[in-house]
Amino acid sequence: MTEPRSTRRRFVRAATAGVAASVFPRPLLAQGSQQRIVVIGGGFAGATAARFLKRADPRFNVTLVEPNPVFAACPFSNEVIAGLREMRAQLFGYDSIAMEGVVVVHQAAAAVDGRARTVTLANGAKLTYERLVLAPGSDLRFDALPGYDESAAERMPHAWKAGEQTLLLRRQLEAMEDGGTVVMTLPALPYRCPPASYERASLIAYYLQTRKPRSKLVVLDAKDTFSMQRLFENAWQEFYPNLEWVPVSSGGNPTAVDATAMTVSSDFDTYKAAVANVIPPQKAGRIAERAGTADRTGWCPVDPITFESRLVPGIHVLGDAAIAGAVPKSAFAANAVAKICAAAVAKLVRGETPAMPKFVNTCYSLAAPAYGLSIAGVYRPVNGQWLEVEGAGGVSPVDAPRAFRNQEAKFANGWFNTITSEIFG
Ligand SMILES: Cc1cc2nc3c(=O)[nH]c(=O)nc-3n(C[C@H](O)[C@H](O)[C@H](O)COP(=O)(O)OP(=O)(O)OC[C@H]3O[C@@H](n4cnc5c(N)ncnc54)[C@H](O)[C@@H]3O)c2cc1C
């Protein structure tokens, strides 16, 4: 594939257009600060945490470590893939966070020493901390699906991290001849935002139906059930005869890919793909492993009240990287738990007891343009683990009229605008 380099350049150009350069103040750590708090990862969890830690106590010396000057958000990136939205609507800079007094360092964290309480950056610089917030999101397991490694991802994009991969999948769909088969593979739980994979299937089916009517989508799924299943299946039945969902019990489990031959194998079959969107199994962002906070599952167990790692004291793990009982791997939850963690850290450093937290999560998905679905839950810690409060949440009604779906699509937009302006605005 010849795309990756030029794709990257194009994306970086697009990404940096209109976003002013972020600050890189020196020295990295101000003198005489009360608490040095380093936050690794400027996504939904980390950027929220940095901002709310500074608000919790302006004397905190908060440093946000994030390699990219511009954040590309995953929510609504499925709409970009389906040609319903432009990538620029997904991009956010860090200037407002810096203006609030957070030191923003555009470097990757390369190592964490939990005993010495230091973070080594990719450029060799070292930061010391009293508390570390680790929010690197999730990483793809390139050793889990035979044939699927980083170079295969350049031909068979996962698009499960927004940015170049999102645009690559979009361009492949645009370039595909009418009549080709698009194959999607979905992993077993847990992984980042499972409902988004069914939203993606819906919107790719929508794209094919409107632009490539002789094409079809085959979804090979390592699961038999998923959230909002009835709602999605009803929408597929109503709108998308071109979408075939193959659950694990019908042989849908993806077993291997061949990026050269463009084939995807499942338990029962091998499919020739014109475009393949391979979403592999996942784990916490690599730096979490290096910090010693990930367990054998690949995810990071945490205390439910403070989000402090159960494995390395002084490190709080937030967002997708954490495994915290029923807490969903969503941007909504990442933002909510980051605020809980910021408040808990402020109490801990004053020697006070953090309050018992509780939060709401709502995930919106589009099954078609102006056709929104949602699932909501309320979560609280019980006996050391986050549980969903029974009877407090719910999903969109199955028999809702079209106006209701339209309204939910508007709520989805409103949610995205609100959360991104709270974090980055
Ligand atoms: C297609 C799709 C659609 C989605 N739609 C929704 C939705 O509608 N609603 C919803 O609530 N959620 C949605 N999600 C889920 C949501 O995107 C994630 O749950 C959310 O981004 C998790 O936040 P996070 O901060 O943990 O990780 P991220 O937002 O991924 O942020 C992690 C950050 O850490 C940085 N980082 C990684 N490693 C390092 C390092 N070594 N040093 C420094 N920085 C590092 C990365 O550059 C990144 O900026 C969707 C996901 C996908 C894939």
Side-chain angles (χ1 to χ4, degrees):
M1 206 70 179
T2 54
E3 272 163 328
R5 282 212 166 147
S6 58
T7 305
R8 195 164 302 134
R9 273 200 302 273
R10 241 178 296 157
F11 173 66
V12 169
R13 258 203 313 272
T16 48
V19 180
S22 283
V23 287
F24 196 128
R26 287 165 197 274
L28 296 180
L29 297 174
Q31 299 300 308
S33 62
Q34 281 202 320
Q35 280 285 317
R36 282 162 303 178
I37 304 176
V38 175
V39 180
I40 295 178
F44 283 96
T48 305
R51 233 175 163 159
F52 280 79
L53 279 161
K54 194 70 192 167
R55 284 182 196 170
D57 189 335
R59 290 167 305 169
F60 284 171
N61 190 325
V62 182
T63 302
L64 175 62
V65 177
E66 161 62 49
N68 303 309
V70 174
F71 176 69
C74 282
F76 279 89
S77 64
N78 289 330
E79 286 70 3
V80 176
I81 290 164
L84 299 164
R85 183 179 174 93
E86 290 312 315
M87 193 66 201
R88 61 178 171 274
Q90 300 299 111
L91 304 179
F92 301 92
Y94 292 93
D95 288 356
S96 300
I97 296 177
M99 277 166 60
E100 215 164 300
V102 173
V103 176
V104 181
V105 178
H106 288 306
Q107 283 290 317
V112 172
D113 184 335
R115 284 205 180 161
R117 300 212 172 192
T118 59
V119 175
T120 305
L121 305 182
N123 65 0
K126 239 181 207 175
L127 306 178
T128 53
Y129 65 82
E130 267 100 35
R131 294 215 169 243
L132 174 66
V133 174
L134 199 48
S138 40
D139 257 331
L140 305 151
R141 280 185 185 271
F142 283 116
D143 56 353
L145 182 61
Y148 199 67
D149 56 16
E150 281 179 275
S151 74
E154 299 294 349
R155 294 206 60 177
M156 297 179 151
H158 50 79
W160 219 239
K161 289 190 177 200
E164 297 156 28
Q165 281 272 314
T166 312
L167 295 175
L168 179 59
L169 181 55
R170 173 173 166 160
R171 275 198 303 278
Q172 289 187 349
L173 288 170
E174 285 167 353
M176 184 184 95
E177 278 188 24
D178 190 6
T181 300
V182 179
V183 181
M184 263 184 95
T185 71
L186 312 187
L189 297 175
Y191 66 100
R192 159 176 285 187
C193 201
S197 41
Y198 302 94
E199 174 186 80
R200 178 170 300 170
S202 308
L203 295 183
I204 288 180
Y206 173 82
Y207 175 82
L208 298 179
Q209 196 179 59
T210 49
R211 311 283 181 84
K212 320 261 167 167
R214 292 189 297 118
S215 294
K216 67 171 186 171
L217 170 66
V218 176
V219 182
L220 300 176
D221 200 340
K223 302 179 281 310
D224 273 331
T225 57
F226 56 90
S227 85
M228 296 190 276
Q229 183 162 358
R230 218 167 136 208
L231 294 163
F232 275 112
E233 287 185 327
N234 285 354
W236 295 347
Q237 207 167 11
E238 188 177 348
F239 304 127
Y240 307 128
N242 59 348
L243 189 164
E244 183 191 352
W245 175 61
V246 190
V248 66
S249 56
S250 304
N253 186 39
T255 53
V257 301
D258 182 334
T260 310
M262 284 298 286
T263 56
V264 180
S265 301
S266 69
D267 276 341
F268 289 179
D269 241 320
T270 294
Y271 298 79
K272 174 84 182 159
V275 172
N277 173 207
V278 176
I279 303 170
Q282 291 154 39
K283 60 180 180 176
R286 215 159 296 147
I287 189 70
E289 234 164 51
R290 291 192 193 146
T293 52
D295 68 13
R296 271 181 303 172
T297 65
W299 305 98
C300 305
V302 291
D303 173 88
I305 297 171
T306 61
F307 286 84
E308 190 162 3
S309 164
R310 289 204 197 266
L311 303 178
V312 187
I315 303 183
H316 301 256
V317 188
L318 301 178
D320 284 358
I323 195 95
V327 175
K329 294 196 184 303
S330 73
F332 198 122
N335 170 261
V337 303
K339 293 175 195 167
I340 290 170
C341 176
V345 166
K347 290 243 180 197
L348 287 174
V349 302
R350 290 197 295 266
E352 297 168 12
T353 306
M356 188 56 90
K358 201 183 264 181
F359 74 94
V360 178
N361 177 75
T362 307
C363 276
Y364 296 100
S365 298
L366 295 186
Y371 191 107
L373 308 172
S374 70
I375 180 163
V378 179
Y379 300 85
R380 70 186 168 103
V382 179
N383 298 330
Q385 198 52 278
W386 280 93
L387 293 182
E388 189 171 349
V389 177
E390 270 190 44
V395 296
S396 314
V398 171
D399 52 1
R402 204 47 197 270
F404 191 93
R405 307 280 187 236
N406 192 357
Q407 195 63 31
E408 292 225 280
K410 288 187 181 149
F411 289 157
N413 257 298
W415 164 75
F416 184 77
N417 294 339
T418 304
I419 193 172
T420 51
S421 63
E422 180 188 73
I423 300 173
F424 299 102

